[in-house]
Amino acid sequence: MTVNTDYLKEQRGQEWRVELRKKIKNKDRLTIERVKMPEMDPMERIKYQDKEVNLGLTLDAAMREASRCMDCANPTCIEGCPVSINIPKFVKNIERGEILDAASTLKETSALPAVCGRVCPQEKQCEARCFYVEKMKKDPVAIGYLERFAADYERESGSMSIPNVEDANGVKVATIGSGPAALSFAGDMVKLGYDVTVFEALHEIGGVLKYGIPEFRLPNSIVDVELDNLRKMGVKFETNFVVGRTASVEDLEEQGFKAFFVGSGAGLPRFMNIPGENYNGIMSSNEYLTRVNLMNAADDSYDTPVLKGKNVAVIGGGNTAMDSVRTAKRLGAERAMIIYRRSLEEMPARVEEVKHAMEEGIEFINLHNPVEYFANENGRVNKMKVQRMELGEPDASGRRRPVALDEYVELDVDLVVVAVGVSPNPLIPSCMPDLEVSRWGTIEVNEDKMQTSIPQLFAGGDIVRGGATVILAMGDGRKAAESMHGFLKEKYNL
Amino acid sequence: MNRIVNKQYLSENVVRMEIEAPLIARSRKPGNFIILRIGEKGERIPLTIADSDITNGTISIIVQNVGVSSKKLCTLEIGDEVTDLVGPLGKPTNVHKVGTILAMGGGVGIAPLFPIVKAFKQAGNRVVTVLAARSKDLLILEDEMREWSDEVVVMTDDGSYGEKGLITAGAERVIQNEKIDECIAIGPAVMMKFAAMLTKKYEIPTQASLNSIMVDGTGMCGACRVTVGGKTKFTCIDGPEFNAHEIDFDEMLMRLQAYVKEEKDAQAEQQ
């Protein structure tokens, strides 16, 4: 995203910001310690699948943390944000106690602030670019915690602001999918005056935010509030609608839709194709998390079942693996294990997730890779064979490549969750022969514009990236909205 | 949305429902299925579309009252609404003109077989249909099948109607009497396994339509995976029809048992 520097400068020059900068000397700001996120006790929290681990900051703690921010003339943090949130402006609003203003600042560019404040890897984005890190070698301002604080404060205050929406231009556009990429796109387009409809195949809106990320990290009720906000802005939602099947893109064009954003996600789980992988009790993280998060399978009053295990192995080292293994622990596993073929250092999961998992008693069996599963007479998995690995030279990803050793270990397991990544969902590409896809099945886009080989079709998120984060998907959605707006303005003389 | 406009008992435990779903009625093809959910606490269950009426904007599904969710569905009456209904899902049947088709349908599998029989007949094929049920009372859609088949053979386990014997006995006689170009078999997994063994013996290309366990039905979860020709496939997006001679039916039978205990517990609770 391009950052509008004139706008930032003008905002920074406002009197209240100037005053606030003078109020505390930078030298004194530097002496304040970074706030710690209050957390639920690990032994207590593993009893609940639906209680959040992070409890959120108090008003005092948030204002104090916000006062660490120097309100830099050149705010590099914004460059680290895929949706270009005006970070100093919202942080300074917290410092002066205008929390609702902080929340509306977030909503200028982010459709889902309460979500991002919880699941973004800030340590790799805005916070990694904070002055404290770049110039002072100190802990960054806790931008993520503050974002969550402002969004939560606004929600709990009962006076949610609805961002300004331009006059309706009567032009209909649609998203295919309703995850973070599509919602971010929808938010931006509706602000520009478009008539936006979100089409979702499942019975709930939200995509991975609902079916994937567990309640203890992102409660569905928080997602619902953000959805409600979009609804109030005028976004329409259609569930149980598979574009390409229920109706084709051509059918929708006949109904007046002028352009589309494909954000259908990377919804095809990968397996390892090793012997015994189809035994009962071995499932994808998508299946495990969908049953628990979307279908409420852990609650007996719901019809969807979920297999429970005493000895649960989760294969993989990403955030989804952490979500799965921590879910298994909460559903009563005595041993909940991560089996990962590299070492802790190479793990792609967020540092916070790994830390939380360790506090909860998750076992990390690193440098091991599954090679075979065994089952009892009913076909239910009861044992797995894992191979020891060591680290060799760095590979294309820059991480040290795991090299297999001729050493094996057997583990007793009765539930295995495979979280080794996802492939793009082939449903949309298979319905559109003219759509160019890569050999991995991701949709090819012109990167500056997120435009596909079909001019009125834009795409973003995991269907383009093949497996990334909520915030990168949201950044794609924003970028696509900006370029689709340009495309439609030119084509229809708006 | 999704209002039930007609309900009819085909046998004691098998119900046919016609549901308003104008978009699906228009876009569905033989072999497609839908996923539906009853109530906010319901699970997502896949059901094949047995027929559709584009003019009235309805689809027909046929459901056997066997589990927690099908029981919930069967208690709905005309005028009630199905909470969620999505489709059409899965790859449609490859309907083409080949000559003579042998269609084998067992039990409630006769329901998904019906639109396929109709489509092959409409495509100009000769269609010989073999239907099987445990007894006369449990045989469904016989009249509809007769309307769209050139010949119908009925087999019952107890001999209460048609001939006594298994579906494979009736099918083998058909195969011996005339040249069959292609087969399609739909029914319980065990039946399809033996049907596939039979047609393999005679080297007749055969498709079977699988009723795997599913959650989302769009390729997302992988609950429906099945081994076909040594490779793992997803029934929801790669199927539901596969080359019957390459399906690992034993694995499929095992996978269908995955939630038997959970289902039993839930049924016990319902009572």
Side-chain angles (χ1 to χ4, degrees):
Chain A
M1 291 299 294
T2 45
V3 178
N4 183 340
T5 46
D6 289 343
Y7 166 76
L8 292 180
K9 209 179 267 174
E10 179 249 297
Q11 294 275 313
R12 186 173 182 272
Q14 286 186 347
E15 213 184 308
W16 69 268
R17 292 268 291 266
V18 179
E19 286 303 309
L20 210 55
R21 282 198 293 276
K22 287 187 199 150
K23 218 172 127 193
I24 308 176
K25 287 193 180 112
N26 279 353
K27 176 165 74 56
D28 295 331
R29 293 184 191 272
L30 269 171
T31 61
I32 306 169
E33 290 272 311
R34 176 179 157 116
V35 70
K36 290 213 163 42
M37 173 60 81
E39 294 168 357
M40 200 174 167
D41 176 71
M43 290 308 113
E44 187 61 19
R45 73 195 187 216
I46 55 170
K47 296 179 195 159
Y48 306 96
Q49 203 277 321
D50 56 354
K51 289 204 177 160
E52 258 194 290
V53 172
N54 285 347
L55 301 171
L57 303 182
T58 60
L59 177 62
D60 284 351
M63 287 172 68
R64 184 180 158 87
E65 179 64 21
S67 70
R68 292 179 69 219
C69 170
M70 308 277 186
D71 199 3
C72 305
N74 174 24
T76 41
C77 52
I78 301 182
E79 291 166 19
C81 175
V83 296
S84 312
I85 287 175
N86 189 343
I87 293 167
K89 182 180 169 190
F90 103 79
V91 172
K92 290 296 107 176
N93 266 314
I94 294 178
E95 182 182 347
R96 68 164 173 161
E98 296 294 340
I99 316 299
L100 295 179
D101 289 343
S104 56
T105 305
L106 294 171
K107 285 197 259 185
E108 286 171 14
T109 56
S110 171
L112 311 165
V115 172
C116 296
R118 287 173 165 78
V119 304
C120 269
Q122 288 97 5
E123 67 278 8
K124 290 180 187 159
Q125 296 173 343
C126 52
E127 293 183 15
R129 303 293 315 277
C130 175
F131 173 80
Y132 277 78
V133 174
E134 292 203 326
K135 298 281 161 25
M136 309 303 294
K137 304 282 169 246
K138 278 174 171 275
D139 288 337
V141 173
I143 302 167
Y145 297 168
L146 293 175
E147 180 183 26
R148 169 183 162 154
F149 172 77
D152 286 359
Y153 183 96
E154 187 197 32
R155 188 181 61 253
E156 285 156 16
S157 75
S159 52
M160 295 277 283
S161 71
I162 307 297
N164 288 334
V165 172
E166 281 180 29
D167 289 342
N169 63 16
V171 177
K172 283 167 82 174
V173 299
T175 77
I176 300 170
S178 72
L183 294 176
S184 164
F185 167 89
D188 275 13
M189 289 303 271
V190 83
K191 277 186 205 162
L192 290 166
Y194 289 90
D195 181 351
V196 186
T197 305
V198 170
F199 290 101
E200 166 58 46
L202 290 171
H203 58 270
E204 285 238 24
I205 297 291
V208 72
L209 306 174
K210 284 279 180 71
Y211 74 74
I213 304 175
E215 289 285 298
F216 54 81
R217 210 149 71 79
L218 176 65
N220 281 349
S221 59
I222 301 259
V223 182
D224 284 333
V225 172
E226 311 250 32
L227 294 175
D228 207 42
N229 208 35
L230 288 168
R231 204 171 277 126
K232 283 183 186 144
M233 287 162 73
V235 177
K236 296 169 193 160
F237 293 102
E238 284 263 6
T239 52
N240 296 316
F241 199 111
V242 189
V243 175
R245 295 291 173 93
T246 309
S248 66
V249 165
E250 293 75 28
D251 292 335
L252 295 174
E253 281 175 339
E254 269 173 39
Q255 287 180 31
F257 287 95
K258 300 292 184 209
F260 301 83
F261 174 76
V262 186
S264 51
L268 194 72
R270 260 186 235 149
F271 286 91
M272 294 173 67
N273 297 312
I274 56 176
E277 207 175 22
N278 287 347
Y279 283 132
N280 291 332
I282 304 177
M283 66 185 86
S284 73
S285 49
N286 266 3
E287 177 180 353
Y288 188 60
L289 294 174
T290 299
R291 284 180 184 274
V292 177
N293 300 333
L294 181 73
M295 307 307 297
N296 287 296
D299 179 339
D300 284 340
S301 73
Y302 285 77
D303 294 342
T304 303
V306 65
L307 294 176
K308 292 183 182 160
K310 267 191 190 143
N311 298 304
V312 184
V314 174
I315 320 303
N319 287 323
T320 311
M322 296 306 138
D323 287 345
S324 303
V325 78
R326 296 172 67 200
T327 297
K329 189 80 192 175
R330 283 162 172 75
L331 299 191
E334 286 166 15
R335 252 189 118 179
M337 301 167 268
I338 283 284
I339 314 280
Y340 179 53
R341 62 191 183 134
R342 306 191 207 227
S343 75
L344 208 54
E345 263 172 51
E346 290 80 21
M347 236 175 222
R350 284 187 71 191
V351 177
E352 182 179 62
E353 305 315 320
V354 176
K355 170 185 164 275
H356 283 164
M358 286 179 163
E359 289 167 358
E360 290 164 11
I362 305 300
E363 284 178 56
F364 283 74
I365 304 181
N366 297 326
L367 290 167
H368 283 83
N369 201 34
V371 287
E372 189 171 0
Y373 297 102
F374 304 91
N376 66 15
E377 67 282 3
N378 298 320
R380 173 77 182 251
V381 66
N382 63 4
K383 207 184 274 293
M384 70 187 286
K385 189 172 162 188
V386 294
Q387 184 168 22
R388 281 202 47 202
M389 313 293 276
E390 64 176 12
L391 292 177
E393 294 300 304
D395 64 10
S397 73
R399 295 178 299 176
R400 292 179 68 192
R401 184 195 305 274
V403 181
L405 299 172
D406 191 26
E407 285 173 54
Y408 300 87
V409 186
E410 285 193 346
L411 295 167
D412 286 334
V413 288
D414 53 1
L415 188 70
V416 176
V417 178
V418 184
V420 296
V422 282
S423 301
N425 195 311
L427 229 152
I428 292 295
S430 74
C431 297
M432 307 185 87
D434 293 339
L435 188 63
E436 275 176 30
V437 293
S438 72
R439 69 191 166 95
W440 298 278
T442 51
I443 295 178
E444 300 268 25
V445 293
N446 151 350
E447 251 203 65
D448 311 331
K449 297 204 151 109
M450 309 307 290
Q451 192 171 23
T452 70
S453 56
I454 301 173
Q456 72 276 27
L457 207 75
F458 294 71
D462 281 359
I463 189 71
V464 168
R465 296 172 177 272
T469 60
V470 166
I471 189 67
L472 289 174
M474 287 180 61
D476 287 353
R478 292 209 72 205
K479 218 198 259 186
E482 190 182 323
S483 58
M484 186 191 284
H485 180 46
F487 168 79
L488 291 172
K489 255 197 320 203
E490 196 174 314
K491 195 165 170 189
Y492 298 102
N493 273 323
L494 297 176
Chain B
M1 289 272 279
N2 315 328
R3 207 165 51 90
I4 296 166
V5 296
N6 214 335
K7 180 184 177 183
Q8 177 196 356
Y9 277 86
L10 300 182
S11 75
E12 196 190 332
N13 271 321
V14 178
V15 177
R16 178 183 184 129
M17 279 183 179
E18 210 177 323
I19 308 173
E20 270 176 3
L23 291 176
I24 302 174
R26 207 167 67 103
S27 54
R28 73 100 204 185
K29 291 191 174 73
N32 283 146
F33 63 93
I34 50 113
I35 285 207
L36 57 74
R37 195 170 76 109
I38 310 295
E40 288 308 320
K41 294 188 171 186
E43 63 181 328
R44 296 171 63 93
I45 52 169
L47 287 165
T48 307
I49 304 167
D51 210 350
S52 72
D53 183 335
I54 298 179
T55 329
N56 291 327
T58 60
I59 58 166
S60 290
I61 52 163
I62 291 173
V63 56
Q64 190 174 20
N65 188 347
V66 281
V68 171
S69 297
S70 51
K71 193 169 274 177
K72 272 192 184 175
L73 177 57
C74 291
T75 57
L76 297 185
E77 297 297 340
I78 294 173
D80 289 344
E81 283 179 6
V82 173
T83 316
D84 293 291
L85 177 67
V86 62
L89 300 169
K91 285 188 178 160
T93 309
N94 177 15
V95 176
H96 52 285
K97 189 168 185 318
V98 278
T100 303
I101 297 285
L102 170 61
M104 289 181 253
V108 78
I110 294 171
L113 185 67
F114 172 66
I116 297 170
V117 161
K118 188 170 160 183
F120 270 106
K121 184 64 199 164
Q122 285 171 331
N125 294 286
R126 172 177 160 78
V127 181
V128 181
T129 303
V130 182
L131 303 177
R134 267 184 289 139
S135 64
K136 185 177 186 220
D137 307 341
L138 299 174
L139 182 69
I140 60 168
L141 299 181
E142 188 195 348
D143 293 343
E144 288 86 342
M145 283 294 199
R146 287 200 185 275
E147 192 185 336
W148 294 98
S149 308
D150 294 275
E151 209 183 314
V152 173
V153 176
V154 176
M155 309 292 295
T156 50
D157 290 358
D158 62 0
S160 54
Y161 185 59
E163 276 176 62
K164 186 179 158 100
L166 295 174
I167 195 163
T168 38
E172 184 154 27
R173 211 180 52 236
V174 173
I175 293 168
Q176 285 166 347
N177 283 344
E178 65 180 301
K179 182 179 174 293
I180 301 295
D181 297 290
E182 270 181 35
C183 286
I184 175 121
I186 311 182
V190 181
M191 178 218 111
M192 291 192 283
K193 176 183 169 178
F194 284 97
M197 282 162 67
L198 171 74
T199 61
K200 185 156 191 183
K201 190 168 88 181
Y202 292 95
E203 291 174 3
I204 306 168
T206 301
Q207 297 287 309
S209 177
L210 306 184
N211 58 334
S212 311
I213 293 172
M214 291 185 190
V215 183
D216 65 287
T218 61
M220 215 180 76
C221 81
C224 64
R225 58 197 199 277
V226 56
T227 301
V228 182
K231 291 206 172 83
T232 295
K233 300 276 181 191
F234 287 10
T235 305
C236 65
I237 51 167
D238 299 318
E241 283 168 32
F242 295 102
N243 178 347
H245 299 158
E246 293 190 338
I247 297 168
D248 183 341
F249 281 107
D250 292 333
E251 180 188 275
M252 196 208 159
L253 280 160
M254 174 201 85
R255 287 188 61 80
L256 285 172
Q257 303 299 309
Y259 287 93
V260 163
K261 188 182 167 287
E262 285 72 14
E263 175 80 20
K264 268 196 196 136
D265 292 350
Q267 271 177 320
E269 222 161 86
Q270 211 176 44
Q271 262 142 28

